[in-house]
Amino acid sequence: MRVVFMGTPEFSVPALEALHGDGHDIVAVYSQPPRKSGRGQQTQPTPVARKATELGLEVRTPFSFQRQADIGDFEALDADVAVVVAYGLILPQALLDAPHLGCLNIHASLLPRWRGAAPIHRAIMAGDGETGVCIMAMEAGLDTGPVLKRVITPIHPTDTTGTLHDRLSKLGAHAVCDVLPLLPMVSHPQPQDGVTYASKINKAEARINWSRPAAEVDRQIRGLAPFPGAWFELGGERIKVLMSEVTTGSGTPGTALGDPLTIACGEGAVRLLSLQRAGKSPMDAKAFLNGFSVEAGAALG
């Protein structure tokens, strides 16, 4: 099958590898243009562009599809299908219509719940018991297209956005490989009930509000790990928390209890298990306390 692949971040890479491994003719890989990153601000290709180059595939990196020439180049590929995974650019209707069997999207939620930009973060932060991936036929609306296949996975109490991201990435890769040989196939319109939107994470959401119940604080920490990272201030330093667990305890919200990394919340308490100081690598609680004193009774901001 002649496939155009369109993706940008690490989440998209397993799908590209799986399609290539299944022997599909990947006629072009579209990814966002290289951007400066890292301390040296060196221009770096995206993870998908890097993997495509390793596989010997043609890589295209248009800034948008506003130019007719870019649309024409896409149409000239004469693709059977386009597979889109966290590409990050809006596709005009002309592109959606170009492949003979349409454009398929791997979306990391159980649609119609969590349409939009941050479905993994939002599912954990909301306390959802399960999530999954949907293979969706793309249309002009935001994640509104009919679903061809859905795969469900539980959200475990120890899941972070990082662990769930990796699991859903692999599930999506397997699911799209299952779907392609069956095309054209019956799809199912999304139900009208249960629509929610996963808005992009705002950095203002990352500061921990200790007055909230412990279960909500724990979900905030895990839902924002590893990026952007929930944080608090102590001694004038901003410290990220990358893993926590709900535990017993009570006191003034934001106060360190007898175990200095057990912090009182509005209801109950959380134990901080993995932390990161500015400019440092993540460390467990014991290593953190070896280099940073947190006294019982200390107030975390």
Side-chain angles (χ1 to χ4, degrees):
M1 185 173 287
R2 290 177 62 82
V3 178
V4 174
F5 187 86
M6 310 181 83
T8 294
E10 288 289 350
F11 184 84
S12 314
V13 171
L16 175 60
E17 292 178 311
L19 292 167
H20 183 266
D22 274 5
H24 292 287
D25 181 12
I26 302 176
V27 294
V29 173
Y30 281 77
S31 195
Q32 290 203 33
R35 289 186 170 86
K36 293 181 179 180
S37 64
R39 292 186 178 181
Q41 288 294 288
Q42 298 295 314
T43 300
Q44 301 287 344
T46 70
V48 163
R50 189 162 51 246
K51 177 56 65 175
T53 300
E54 290 176 11
L55 297 174
L57 303 172
E58 178 188 352
V59 178
R60 299 181 178 184
T61 58
F63 284 94
S64 70
F65 288 99
Q66 296 181 356
R67 298 192 317 155
Q68 187 57 44
D70 290 324
I71 295 175
D73 289 343
F74 185 94
E75 292 172 332
L77 292 169
D78 192 31
D80 294 310
V81 67
V83 174
V84 184
V85 194
Y87 179 38
L89 292 181
I90 295 174
L91 304 188
Q93 192 64 46
L95 259 68
L96 297 178
D97 294 339
H100 304 304
L101 297 171
C103 297
L104 303 184
N105 177 248
I106 302 176
H107 186 77
S109 81
L110 298 176
L111 295 167
R113 186 162 177 80
W114 301 129
R115 294 174 179 172
I120 303 176
H121 299 79
R122 297 297 177 191
I124 292 178
M125 293 170 72
D128 291 2
E130 63 182 19
T131 186
V133 291
C134 285
I135 308 301
M136 177 189 67
M138 295 180 69
E139 57 184 33
L142 176 63
D143 299 330
T144 58
V147 173
L148 287 78
K149 184 179 179 70
R150 63 177 60 225
V151 182
I152 298 173
T153 186
I155 299 178
H156 304 298
T158 55
D159 267 327
T160 64
T161 283
T163 61
L164 194 53
H165 166 284
D166 293 351
R167 191 157 77 246
L168 293 174
S169 178
K170 294 175 182 176
L171 288 175
H174 290 303
V176 78
C177 286
D178 289 343
V179 165
L180 256 58
L182 303 177
L183 294 176
M185 63 181 290
V186 175
S187 60
H188 302 278
Q190 294 182 36
Q192 297 299 311
D193 296 333
V195 175
T196 59
Y197 289 93
S199 57
K200 187 176 179 180
I201 298 296
N202 187 318
K203 288 187 178 180
E205 297 179 75
R207 184 167 192 160
I208 298 172
N209 178 359
W210 301 107
S211 66
R212 296 164 63 191
E216 292 183 14
V217 172
D218 175 62
R219 295 199 301 262
Q220 177 191 17
I221 290 168
R222 292 185 295 107
L224 297 180
F227 180 82
W231 58 272
F232 64 87
E233 284 187 348
L234 184 64
E237 184 174 339
R238 181 179 293 192
I239 299 167
K240 287 185 179 182
V241 186
L242 302 177
M243 190 64 192
S244 61
E245 63 182 5
V246 176
T247 188
T248 57
S250 63
T252 303
T255 300
L257 302 178
D259 172 354
L261 288 183
T262 294
I263 313 301
C265 300
E267 295 176 14
V270 294
R271 181 177 291 115
L272 309 183
L273 303 176
S274 177
L275 304 95
Q276 184 175 17
R277 298 177 66 180
K280 305 289 186 179
S281 299
M283 59 191 82
D284 63 22
K286 182 178 180 180
F288 177 82
L289 290 172
N290 285 338
F292 195 101
S293 177
V294 181
E295 301 292 337
L300 281 58

